[in-house]
Amino acid sequence: MTGKEYRTITDVKGPLVFLNKTEPVAFGEIVTIRLADGSIKNGQVLDTSDDLVIVQVFEGTAKIDRTAGVTFMGDVFKLPVSKDLVGRILDGAGRPRDGGPDIVAEENADIIGAAINPFSRQSPHDFIQTGISAIDCCTTLVRGQKLPIFSASGLPHNDIALQIARQAKLKGSDEQFIVVFCAMGITAEEYNFFRSDLERTGALENAALFVNLADDPAVERIITPRLALTAAEYLAFEHDYHVLVIYTDMTNYCDALRQIGAAREEVPGRRGYPGYMYTDLAMLYERAGIVKGKKGSITQFPILTMPGDDITHPIPDLSGYITEGQIVISRELHQQGIYPPINVLPSLSRLMGSCIGADTTREDHKSVSDQMYAAYAQGRELRGLVAIVGEDALNERDKQLLDFSGVFEDRFLRQSRDEDRSIDETLDLCWELMSSIDTKYLVRLDQKWIEKYHPDNKA
Amino acid sequence: MSKEGVIYRISGPVVTATGMSAGMYDVVRVGDEGLMGEVIELHGEKAVIQVYEDTSGIRPGEPVINTGETLSVSLGPGLLTQIYDGIQRPLPTLEEVMGVFITRGVDADAFDLEKKWTFEAVVEKGAAVEGGQVIGHVQETETIVHKIMVPPTMSGVVKNIKSGDFNVTETVCTLEDGSEIQMMQKWPVRTPRPYRQKYAPDTPLITGMRILDFLFPLAKGGAAGIPGPFGSGKTVTQQSLAKYSDAQIVVYIGCGERGNEMTEVLDEFPHLIDPNTGKPLMNRTVMIANTSNMPVAAREASVYTGITIAEYFRDMGYDVALMADSTSRWAEAMREISSRLEEMPGEEGYPAYLSSRIAEFYERAGRVETKNGDDGSVTVIGAVSPPGGDISEPVSQGTLRIVKVFWGLDAGLARQRHFPAINWLNSYSLYPQSLNQWFRDNIAQDFPEIRTQISGLLQIEAELQEIVQLVGSDALPVDQQLTLEVARMIREFFLQQNGFHDVDAYCDINLQYSMSKAILSFQEAAKNAMAAGAQLNDVVNVPARTALMRGRFEKGYIDTIDDMVKTMVDEIGATVEDN
Ligand SMILES: Nc1ncnc2c1ncn2[C@@H]1O[C@H](COP(=O)(O)OP(=O)(O)O)[C@@H](O)[C@H]1O
Ligand SMILES: [Mg+2]
């Protein structure tokens, strides 16, 4: 089939090209389009029938006219994968962007990715120490988890992601992650920030980058994360690597989806995003995990910016329904000058329960984390009340909790960008800070841990 | 026209075929790889098919073959402990054939067709039998006897029946008219299985979760909806129900949700002990897993596969509980298919028939007289995932119109780590009237009255809290401050229940009653003491009250609670003298 060039385009609309009078074309088949000036664009079949074929063009349809030549490549989109992907920088369609040679394929992998059989999964349970207290204590990351960062424009989510990439390790092990970094529509400046940081720390040699920037074709963003995840799967499940996939910004990805849906005149779902966006996102996020009989793993750190800081916006909302928790970045904390400005209250790690405790982190972790959380939550709530009735109306307990909420932000949350706290340091710090509250109010702490870890008893 | 046609068009999971004779809901094989699909619309000579597997790489012109069957499930010994995908392919078999990733074009029998089961006939030669009648028993798992029934559409006089070891396709019984009965039968998933009559539910499904059993009870044969935003506890609640509820059979459908959550169930259930039988939970469980990244059409089918299996066990006279997590994903699958069909959309892009499909699904719940004359039930509990947590959307609304129990999960409570995060102010159950008698007879004569007192206190608290928000709690009169303390005790001691706690995750219904009485005893004792001059602060802080509240985390609490209450009352009495 490959080779035959059709000049039967009937319509061009948004990112879509419609053509007819083709021989049978496969659903999902890869397409190249040759323009009059000799330049080439790529695309993929979205709808196919005897009468009409609809092609989504990754690079946008600018300059395509009815004389353009369309060739069907006979196969669905595949990425040449190889161990040599490590240390390389590719563009959003998988072509070298670092001036290096083409990837010599050990295998050509279908980028859609097959679903992992739920029966074949293994429950993640290995604690990853990120060195960031708020995460390690309150929303503990587990190897094989998909844990997004819900952020918003102007907030330091990139710094946090990079700090995690630099510091993440299994407790008591030096084993490093391979980072697969996937940029979707971010600015060149943001990209350079990531790249130079990875370069500075030497992590670039252990990373594979897939880069689609703000001025690259928007529709290409549909495939960029699929390429990155295909590479990640290959490295994890064929070569036993522990892979950390960071992708940013999911919001740009979703906007590209919306653009295609609109061009197809689909019935839009909420805020114009396609009704199938949940499924589409799941096909990315669910490519995290650990499977039976394979040594490697895929941990995902998607970053998304919430339009209008709104967590109910379809992008964070649908993501939260799929991922195994979320880390929420707060503008308010950021404005108070706190880094990392993580609001632990709406943050959650759904897998935390499986990776904390005596055998993995420390016996008091659960108890401490519950108490830190509860005390901070109550303290924060009291701030609202104080604003109305004044601090004098508070009883002793409430006063202590109110003060604690300040200390929590100032000493527990706040740490520097290169401060790598061990889990023991984090938990000891928790005890130190909680000791400002009378123990009779610390009802979530087990008596036995109070006896063992409370500074009053330790001395 | 023939049984075989060709593909005309492919658009995602929807394929159009021409040149094939087809009826609605016929199962077809699509393309060179023979992918499984189902006819969902007929247009002149075109048949529109939803395909249960990924369609990439398929081309117009490839063949489509009509199997002539409708989408059905296989029913028989071997269902229990199994985990299936949405179209009843066993996931362990798929792993054997395909490895850890699910590829396509593979068929798999719903259960081991070779395995021999010991069939014990319970009717004799010459007996007149009807559809649905039990003719034999098979001990399927340690705890469950699988009853072999005459297929619902068959009846006659037994010509031959034999006990012994058979596989599920061997004939165990022949009727005079020559019809043969095997242990395996098939039933089309979109058709409810027949029964003699529906009864009004009168027995609660005891779940071991205090807020559910005590405040918002669900009846065996009833239907409940659990809407809630992400992270509010839908899945944990559903899993707790699967673990602890006193159903005899559990069908757990993971519909369009996370893969790891199914893995968790698979890891846990074989080791967890059913508090009602003392045997591993897996013995009574059938799982269906069509996760969010598995084909969307099979997700649509998964709830029907699940409920048909549930009805089948109901027909044996069992109380079955079915959990579907999440029905919103099922509705979205319908929406996706509908939009590919270019149907006129209703609200929020959902097809206009959404609410009738939801209603039909929940109508398959019920307590019935089976065709064998037994009492059986299917209780359905559906999670709903409203976008942004706003339940004014079509799936939540369609569900609330039909279910009688609404367990409303609340993001605010989840954020305070108050679990289960069920909002006690807006949740409801319409069953208490029909269940009160059961509670009076089996738990305590005054059970309904105690319930009313407890929920009344929570209502009053809500009103008082509004005032507190404005003036602070110290500005309230002491009797109201006491009411707030009692309500706090209800929330923290009674309503909160950690779904992962070794002991407290499951609370015996008799213990629930004792705990509720303990709260009222506190209220009473505190009131008396304060009338005699005791200070609220002293009353609240008596050590025995703390001990009482912590007691629920210890085993054997049901035996110690009464003494603990006595000690508390004594200590509260003593605060008067201290004063
Ligand atoms: N009953 C409960 N007991 C303890 N923790 C709970 C309970 N319900 C929910 N949680 C916590 O909330 C998290 C999210 O619950 P989940 O049921 O997965 O939410 P949803 O299905 O609504 O997204 C869980 O990982 C757990 O940490
Ligand atoms: Mg859930």
Side-chain angles (χ1 to χ4, degrees):
Chain A
M1 293 248 342
T2 319
K4 183 158 180 185
E5 194 176 79
Y6 296 95
R7 291 180 186 276
T8 53
I9 293 179
T10 58
D11 295 282
V12 180
K13 188 162 72 179
L16 304 182
V17 164
F18 299 71
L19 71 163
N20 59 16
K21 300 201 195 75
T22 59
E23 278 164 42
V25 169
F27 178 71
E29 192 168 342
I30 286 303
V31 178
T32 60
I33 301 175
R34 202 162 48 83
L35 308 192
D37 64 2
S39 63
I40 300 279
K41 291 181 188 261
N42 299 287
Q44 186 173 18
V45 174
L46 275 192
D47 198 321
T48 170
S49 70
D50 291 346
D51 305 328
L52 180 71
V53 173
I54 306 177
V55 176
Q56 129 192 340
V57 182
F58 300 138
E59 293 89 348
T61 47
K63 294 218 177 86
I64 294 182
D65 60 19
R66 296 178 56 181
T67 65
V70 180
T71 309
F72 296 95
M73 307 305 284
D75 205 351
V76 296
F77 207 122
K78 297 212 162 140
L79 176 73
V81 286
S82 140
K83 232 173 145 164
D84 297 339
L85 281 167
V86 179
R88 295 298 305 272
I89 303 175
L90 307 175
D91 71 6
R95 293 167 298 230
R97 189 192 161 103
D98 52 6
D102 284 349
I103 303 292
V104 179
E106 285 168 37
E107 205 178 285
N108 282 300
D110 186 343
I111 67 160
I112 300 300
I116 298 174
N117 184 333
F119 180 75
S120 311
R121 281 182 184 267
Q122 234 175 9
S123 294
H125 52 68
D126 290 327
F127 163 64
I128 296 179
Q129 179 178 301
T130 66
I132 295 176
S133 291
I135 297 177
D136 290 349
C137 173
C138 300
T139 54
T140 318
L141 174 64
V142 189
R143 191 155 74 178
Q145 184 171 17
K146 39 189 180 290
L147 189 61
I149 299 183
F150 285 10
S151 188
S153 47
L155 299 180
H157 40 266
N158 293 339
D159 301 65
I160 296 171
L162 277 167
Q163 188 169 0
I164 291 167
R166 275 195 311 272
Q167 299 180 173
K169 55 185 154 307
L170 284 193
K171 191 185 175 191
S173 142
D174 292 331
E175 202 177 349
Q176 282 279 320
F177 282 96
I178 294 278
V179 173
V180 170
F181 175 77
C182 168
M184 295 169 285
I186 60 173
T187 61
E189 190 184 328
E190 279 178 287
Y191 166 60
N192 287 332
F193 177 73
F194 267 102
R195 196 189 137 153
S196 56
D197 193 89
L198 292 172
E199 223 160 20
R200 178 174 64 82
T201 58
L204 198 57
E205 286 163 40
N206 278 321
L209 277 56
F210 291 83
V211 183
N212 167 290
L213 296 184
D215 57 356
D216 287 332
V219 177
E220 190 180 87
R221 281 164 213 160
I222 302 294
I223 53 170
T224 313
R226 296 189 157 80
L227 299 172
L229 288 164
T230 304
E233 273 169 3
Y234 180 76
L235 295 170
F237 301 138
E238 301 300 326
H239 289 287
D240 299 343
Y241 287 116
H242 293 293
V243 182
L244 182 64
V245 183
I246 300 177
Y247 38 133
T248 181
D249 177 338
M250 286 308 289
T251 305
N252 297 331
Y253 172 84
C254 293
D255 286 346
L257 268 189
R258 177 164 68 174
Q259 202 183 325
I260 293 164
R264 293 189 71 184
E265 293 175 3
E266 290 166 347
V267 180
R270 279 174 76 219
R271 309 229 187 157
Y273 293 93
Y276 49 79
M277 193 157 89
Y278 173 83
T279 303
D280 190 279
L281 288 174
M283 294 190 57
L284 303 178
Y285 295 143
E286 278 288 318
R287 291 172 83 173
I290 309 177
V291 296
K292 280 190 214 157
K294 310 264 183 192
K295 291 212 187 84
S297 63
I298 298 180
T299 308
Q300 287 191 19
F301 251 113
I303 299 172
L304 60 87
T305 47
M306 301 183 279
D309 292 12
D310 176 10
I311 199 168
T312 68
H313 184 282
I315 297 172
D317 190 50
L318 294 179
S319 296
Y321 271 119
I322 305 164
T323 55
E324 286 149 345
Q326 65 278 339
I327 294 173
V328 181
I329 311 291
S330 148
R331 192 173 298 282
E332 190 191 328
L333 289 169
H334 179 63
Q335 281 163 352
Q336 288 172 42
I338 289 167
Y339 174 90
I342 295 172
N343 184 356
V344 300
L345 300 181
S347 299
L348 168 73
S349 164
R350 291 167 186 264
L351 302 183
M352 174 171 176
S354 64
C355 82
I356 63 171
D359 302 334
T360 48
T361 54
R362 212 167 78 180
E363 54 194 2
D364 56 329
H365 189 157
K366 168 117 194 29
S367 200
V368 167
S369 150
D370 285 351
Q371 184 63 68
M372 288 289 284
Y373 186 97
Y376 179 59
Q378 289 170 32
R380 282 273 297 236
E381 214 174 289
L382 287 165
R383 286 184 194 169
L385 185 62
V386 167
I388 302 169
V389 298
E391 205 162 323
D392 293 340
L394 297 187
N395 58 29
E396 185 52 30
R397 172 176 176 273
D398 290 353
K399 279 195 191 100
Q400 291 183 4
L401 289 169
L402 180 70
D403 290 344
F404 174 78
S405 71
V407 179
F408 182 98
E409 291 169 0
D410 214 42
R411 300 207 32 218
F412 174 72
L413 289 185
R414 189 197 297 279
Q415 64 187 90
S416 69
R417 283 170 170 72
D418 52 13
E419 188 177 350
D420 188 357
R421 295 184 192 153
S422 75
I423 183 67
D424 283 304
E425 286 168 341
T426 290
L427 294 174
D428 289 346
L429 174 65
C430 293
W431 281 103
E432 187 196 326
L433 302 181
M434 287 189 298
S435 68
S436 67
I437 304 173
D438 207 325
T439 39
K440 73 168 179 271
Y441 302 134
L442 298 174
V443 291
R444 306 230 175 185
L445 287 177
D446 272 340
Q447 193 54 37
K448 55 183 179 227
W449 308 142
I450 294 180
E451 279 155 27
K452 187 161 171 189
Y453 294 102
H454 195 283
D456 289 355
N457 301 327
K458 265 186 144 175
Chain B
M1 287 215 284
S2 75
K3 287 272 152 216
E4 184 166 340
V6 293
I7 297 178
Y8 161 73
R9 176 182 175 191
I10 304 142
S11 173
V14 173
V15 165
T16 312
T18 54
M20 176 180 73
S21 68
M24 281 295 273
Y25 305 126
D26 283 354
V27 171
V28 296
R29 297 282 164 186
V30 177
D32 295 331
E33 291 178 63
L35 309 184
M36 184 167 166
E38 183 185 11
V39 175
I40 53 168
E41 197 171 279
L42 295 166
H43 271 310
E45 69 140 3
K46 287 191 180 122
V48 182
I49 298 157
Q50 63 177 0
V51 180
Y52 294 122
E53 299 177 78
D54 175 35
T55 53
S56 333
I58 312 290
R59 292 170 200 274
E62 290 186 26
V64 181
I65 298 167
N66 190 343
T67 65
E69 289 174 21
T70 46
L71 186 67
S72 301
V73 286
S74 300
L75 301 166
L79 285 168
L80 294 172
T81 74
Q82 191 51 275
I83 176 163
Y84 294 111
D85 74 356
I87 48 174
Q88 215 201 3
R89 296 183 304 177
L91 293 176
T93 313
L94 296 190
E95 184 189 77
E96 269 168 44
V97 182
M98 315 170 172
V100 297
F101 290 100
I102 298 182
T103 52
R104 62 186 190 190
V106 176
D107 233 359
D109 295 317
F111 27 76
D112 187 346
L113 300 184
E114 298 308 316
K115 176 167 178 165
K116 298 275 186 188
W117 297 92
T118 304
F119 172 81
E120 192 196 321
V122 297
V123 295
E124 284 173 6
K125 187 176 161 167
V129 294
E130 285 174 40
Q133 190 169 333
V134 175
I135 56 166
H137 289 173
V138 170
Q139 188 74 43
E140 183 176 355
T141 64
E142 221 179 335
T143 46
I144 300 294
V145 173
H146 193 113
K147 297 178 186 159
I148 307 298
M149 296 169 285
V150 178
T153 51
M154 224 186 250
S155 64
V157 173
V158 175
K159 183 174 169 198
N160 211 338
I161 184 163
K162 43 193 176 188
S163 298
D165 292 351
F166 301 97
N167 69 37
V168 292
T169 55
E170 284 174 287
T171 296
V172 293
C173 174
T174 321
L175 302 184
E176 290 290 357
D177 66 0
S179 2
E180 297 184 338
I181 299 172
Q182 295 86 27
M183 286 195 275
M184 180 174 83
Q185 49 180 283
K186 293 204 164 194
W187 190 263
V189 296
R190 296 184 197 277
T191 311
R193 283 174 63 89
Y195 48 82
R196 281 195 198 149
Q197 59 172 322
K198 249 189 194 179
Y199 294 126
D202 63 2
T203 311
L205 180 82
I206 299 296
T207 68
M209 273 180 276
R210 291 183 287 267
I211 186 163
L212 306 188
D213 293 342
F214 208 85
L215 293 185
F216 310 112
L218 171 59
K220 288 199 169 103
I226 318 183
F230 66 82
S232 59
K234 296 179 294 298
T235 303
V236 175
T237 305
Q238 295 264 36
Q239 289 187 357
S240 299
L241 288 166
K243 287 176 195 167
Y244 306 123
S245 69
D246 66 347
Q248 291 159 299
I249 303 286
V250 167
V251 178
Y252 193 95
I253 312 174
C255 175
E257 294 281 314
R258 302 178 183 86
N260 275 333
E261 289 175 348
M262 297 313 291
T263 313
E264 209 176 278
V265 175
L266 282 170
D267 283 351
E268 270 190 13
F269 276 35
H271 308 291
L272 282 177
I273 298 300
D274 177 352
N276 304 293
T277 63
K279 295 288 191 297
L281 271 173
M282 212 56 190
N283 282 324
R284 65 167 193 183
T285 310
V286 184
M287 273 186 284
I288 294 168
N290 216 90
T291 56
S292 53
N293 55 341
M294 285 159 78
V296 75
R299 188 191 303 167
E300 192 273 334
S302 66
V303 301
Y304 295 103
T305 299
I307 195 129
T308 309
I309 292 172
E311 286 174 340
Y312 174 68
F313 281 103
R314 171 203 71 189
D315 292 345
M316 297 179 203
Y318 287 121
D319 290 317
V320 184
L322 175 140
M323 293 95 204
D325 184 13
S326 160
T327 60
S328 293
R329 308 304 167 215
W330 163 56
E332 286 162 10
M334 278 192 263
R335 173 169 70 184
E336 182 166 346
I337 303 288
S338 159
S339 103
R340 303 268 183 185
L341 296 177
E342 287 156 22
E343 288 174 342
M344 185 65 126
E347 234 181 312
E348 295 194 17
Y350 285 103
Y353 46 79
L354 173 75
S355 59
S356 60
R357 290 279 165 88
I358 292 175
E360 281 161 22
F361 171 68
Y362 282 104
E363 267 304 291
R364 291 176 75 169
R367 193 180 138 231
V368 305
E369 182 189 354
T370 67
K371 297 201 78 173
N372 193 52
D374 300 317
D375 200 340
S377 66
V378 172
T379 310
V380 175
I381 303 123
V384 185
S385 315
D390 175 1
I391 62 164
S392 65
E393 55 89 41
V395 185
S396 301
Q397 289 303 311
T399 306
L400 292 183
R401 270 202 294 278
I402 179 103
V403 300
K404 292 213 167 73
V405 173
F406 167 62
W407 293 326
L409 290 166
D410 186 303
L413 289 173
R415 241 171 232 199
Q416 292 164 33
R417 299 292 196 261
H418 172 110
F419 291 121
I422 294 169
N423 184 324
W424 52 89
L425 296 173
N426 69 6
S427 297
Y428 60 76
S429 163
L430 301 180
Y431 289 116
Q433 287 311 322
S434 37
L435 300 178
N436 277 349
Q437 198 55 47
W438 187 95
F439 281 114
R440 284 192 207 283
D441 294 347
N442 292 278
I443 310 301
Q445 264 308 318
D446 61 352
F447 189 100
E449 287 71 33
I450 302 287
R451 175 200 296 132
T452 310
Q453 284 188 50
I454 296 282
S455 54
L457 281 161
L458 290 167
Q459 296 291 341
I460 297 172
E461 182 198 30
E463 288 157 23
L464 291 179
Q465 283 295 356
E466 285 180 18
I467 304 171
V468 171
Q469 288 307 313
L470 297 175
V471 297
S473 59
D474 283 353
L476 293 182
V478 282
D479 61 325
Q480 294 189 344
Q481 289 187 34
L482 172 63
T483 306
L484 286 181
E485 283 299 336
V486 175
R488 185 215 287 268
M489 188 170 176
I490 297 174
R491 285 187 284 112
E492 293 182 356
F493 167 63
F494 193 74
L495 299 185
Q496 278 191 23
Q497 204 176 349
N498 183 337
F500 303 106
H501 194 277
D502 293 342
V503 176
D504 196 40
Y506 171 79
C507 185
D508 185 280
I509 181 73
N510 291 296
L511 178 56
Q512 297 183 24
Y513 175 74
S514 300
M515 288 171 71
S516 66
K517 294 278 283 194
I519 296 167
L520 297 179
S521 300
F522 166 72
Q523 183 184 30
E524 168 91 18
K527 223 184 238 168
N528 293 340
M530 285 162 65
Q535 293 294 314
L536 175 64
N537 208 20
D538 298 334
V539 164
V540 169
N541 285 322
V542 297
R545 193 176 82 110
T546 314
L548 170 77
M549 289 175 60
R550 286 191 178 231
R552 71 188 194 281
F553 299 126
E554 307 295 332
K555 287 206 178 89
Y557 188 41
I558 196 160
D559 304 320
T560 54
I561 183 169
D562 288 346
D563 288 340
M564 292 172 123
V565 171
K566 277 203 197 84
T567 317
M568 173 185 71
V569 170
D570 290 348
E571 285 186 7
I572 291 173
T575 58
V576 179
E577 285 127 54
D578 293 353
N579 215 20

